[in-house]
Amino acid sequence: MYDVIVIGGGPAGMLASGVAAASGAKTLLLERNDKVGRKLLITGKGRCNLTNDCTVDEVLSNIPTGGKFLYSALNRFSPSDAMAFFASLGVPLKTERGGRVFPVSDRSSDVVGAIRNYMKNSGVMLKKGRAKRVIDHNEGFSVVTSSGEIDCGAIVLATGGKSYPKTGSTGDGYDIAKALGHSVTALRGSLVPLCAEPELCARMQGLALKNVRISVFDGGKKPIFEDFGELLFTHFGVSGPIVLSASAHMRDFESRKYYVNIDLKPALDEKTLDLRILRDFEKYKGRTFSNSLGELLSRSMIPAVVDRSGIPPEKKVHSISREERMGLNKLLKSFRIDIDGPRPVEEAIVTSGGILLSEITPKTMESKLVKGLYFAGEIIDADAYTGGYNLQIAWSTAYAAGTAVAGRFLGQPH
């Protein structure tokens, strides 16, 4: 008989179990994988962007869904608290562009190892097993696994979302919560590749555009998001770091039409770019238009640019008019890609949607419907933009749940 069973050994489950055990609760962490922290190992391209060095208000401004609900949890365990916590575990940290915080070693395994040691030193007991369902006995619970039932006084559900199912996030927690009476909002991917103009993009499949700028529009005159970095064309559309970041801002495909403008030459203004084009045209004045762009564009992108320019590919460069050249200039500064929608949630870094927040107490993460049931991490309907904010949500909700669930058993013999 355990005081607490934490279901799910991701970042939220690991911290929640450690906090609960350190506070004196007899705690079991139930994880379906051989080892805990599998998803944490691959975050930040294996470097683990574990938080953002900013204020709570700045974190909240980067949480489009659930920010108001998370106010209490973030104030109790803020980014500065998270940084101090990991430093106390022997993980030196550094801050990079945009306030992103990483371990100095650039190894996510150091972060996972530190939390594992914290759990061990706090007295957390580990068990491999998949929770199939939870039976509510009113005064306690039974967790049904493939190897039998385990009894406990309270439960923290920290099973993650539906993204990256190979790490164990297959959506089991949603089914468990729904069976206990909870509502789950629509699930979709956030920080996810995007489906877009498959015929066009497939022609450029495998092409990585480095140092380009994108602007995302939803039908208005002003962009809703801009970023600079690397974009990758795929057989289904577009991916790459700046696309994943952009996807988090595209949240209403049912009523909005999104498109992305790619500035292929962000270092050059239109006047400077025109001089560059003129120089190339002069250099290759005897060639056709389609054979004159080799120094300006990647080979696999030339056919797409030629098609969109409206300039006949066989036209001699010296015959191209100023109007045609200006059109090419505009195209290079604003190459439009129409977005059809996100890839499946299983391909996303983060799941958007989850347990309905109005059914959870913000300060403790306890269910309002089932006494003794708590939630932590990605399973709840709260997600953020890229930059370490999603892991901060995991740490803050885990700390709130771990502290509150342990408080139920303080003073009882263990």
Side-chain angles (χ1 to χ4, degrees):
M1 177 74 181
Y2 294 94
D3 292 336
V4 182
I5 294 179
V6 178
I7 304 175
M14 294 169 73
L15 183 60
S17 64
V19 169
S23 301
K26 185 179 180 183
T27 305
L28 173 71
L29 177 59
L30 185 66
E31 165 58 35
R32 59 186 292 180
N33 293 314
D34 291 328
K35 294 182 179 180
V36 294
R38 282 187 62 182
K39 189 173 181 181
L40 193 55
L41 283 171
I42 63 175
T43 59
K45 294 184 178 179
R47 296 176 61 216
C48 193
N49 178 194
L50 54 85
T51 188
N52 194 287
D53 188 4
C54 66
T55 65
V56 168
D57 284 344
E58 287 172 312
V59 177
L60 292 169
S61 70
N62 281 278
I63 303 176
T65 303
K68 184 178 179 181
F69 171 86
L70 292 166
Y71 181 85
S72 175
L74 284 165
N75 273 285
R76 290 187 67 200
F77 197 79
S78 66
S80 59
D81 293 325
M83 292 170 69
F85 173 74
F86 285 106
S88 74
L89 298 184
V91 182
L93 305 175
K94 61 180 177 180
T95 301
E96 297 185 359
R97 178 181 62 88
R100 292 168 167 83
V101 177
F102 295 89
V104 170
S105 67
D106 283 331
R107 292 194 303 262
S108 57
S109 56
D110 290 354
V111 177
V112 174
I115 307 179
R116 283 175 179 162
N117 287 336
Y118 170 68
M119 291 162 53
K120 182 179 179 180
N121 295 334
S122 299
V124 176
M125 283 157 278
L126 283 171
K127 180 177 176 62
K128 180 183 177 182
R130 181 175 183 177
K132 293 185 173 181
R133 61 193 178 98
V134 169
I135 302 171
D136 178 13
H137 300 300
N138 293 322
E139 293 299 322
F141 301 89
S142 294
V143 179
V144 181
T145 73
S146 53
S147 58
E149 295 184 9
I150 313 170
D151 296 327
C152 62
I155 284 177
V156 178
L157 207 50
T159 50
K162 286 195 73 175
S163 55
Y164 283 122
K166 289 182 181 179
T167 64
S169 300
T170 56
D172 288 3
Y174 302 126
D175 294 332
I176 292 172
K178 284 192 283 189
L180 292 170
H182 273 278
S183 306
V184 177
T185 63
L187 305 174
R188 64 171 185 81
S190 183
L191 307 182
V192 64
L194 298 168
C195 298
E197 303 196 44
E199 186 176 337
L200 170 74
C201 293
R203 292 171 67 187
M204 297 182 280
Q205 181 178 350
L207 172 62
L209 298 178
K210 297 183 178 181
N211 303 319
V212 296
R213 178 172 294 280
I214 64 167
S215 301
V216 179
F217 294 84
D218 63 355
K221 293 183 178 180
K222 292 184 177 181
I224 61 171
F225 176 77
E226 293 181 296
D227 201 4
F228 176 87
E230 183 176 338
L231 177 148
L232 175 69
F233 287 102
T234 70
H235 67 284
F236 57 75
V238 287
S239 187
I242 57 176
V243 170
L244 299 182
S245 298
S247 71
H249 297 258
M250 303 180 191
R251 294 177 171 266
D252 189 13
F253 280 98
E254 291 184 2
S255 61
R256 296 179 185 273
K257 181 63 178 176
Y258 296 98
Y259 66 91
V260 172
N261 280 342
I262 307 172
D263 184 347
L264 298 167
K265 301 293 176 182
L268 306 178
D269 59 26
E270 289 189 10
K271 184 177 181 180
T272 308
L273 178 57
D274 186 42
L275 293 173
R276 167 67 194 278
I277 294 171
L278 280 169
R279 189 169 72 244
D280 283 10
F281 279 6
E282 176 62 27
K283 185 175 180 179
Y284 301 115
K285 58 186 177 183
R287 294 188 181 183
T288 61
F289 174 52
S290 61
N291 288 319
S292 67
L293 302 173
E295 293 185 21
L296 199 62
L297 295 166
S298 299
R299 183 186 302 175
S300 56
M301 195 166 193
I302 290 174
V305 169
V306 170
D307 287 349
R308 287 201 171 180
S309 72
I311 303 172
E314 69 282 355
K315 189 171 187 176
K316 294 292 185 179
V317 167
H318 62 77
S319 300
I320 292 176
S321 68
R322 183 182 184 280
E323 184 180 1
E324 288 174 323
R325 197 180 74 246
M326 289 297 102
L328 174 62
N329 189 313
K330 185 176 180 180
L331 178 62
L332 296 177
K333 295 294 289 181
S334 185
F335 190 88
R336 175 168 168 161
I337 302 288
D338 290 320
I339 307 300
D340 298 324
R343 290 291 286 174
V345 63
E346 289 81 7
E347 296 179 27
I349 293 176
V350 172
T351 303
S352 181
I355 308 299
L356 192 65
L357 298 181
S358 61
E359 298 174 354
I360 307 171
T361 302
K363 187 176 181 180
T364 62
M365 294 295 138
E366 185 176 12
S367 165
K368 293 179 180 178
L369 310 180
V370 182
K371 188 177 180 181
L373 174 65
Y374 298 76
F375 299 98
E378 196 177 347
I379 191 172
I380 69 173
D381 182 19
D383 66 282
Y385 301 137
T386 185
Y389 306 110
N390 284 292
L391 270 180
Q392 182 59 50
I393 292 174
W395 309 135
S396 296
T397 55
Y399 182 82
T403 304
V405 74
R408 301 177 66 89
F409 304 99
L410 292 181
Q412 295 184 15
H414 299 293

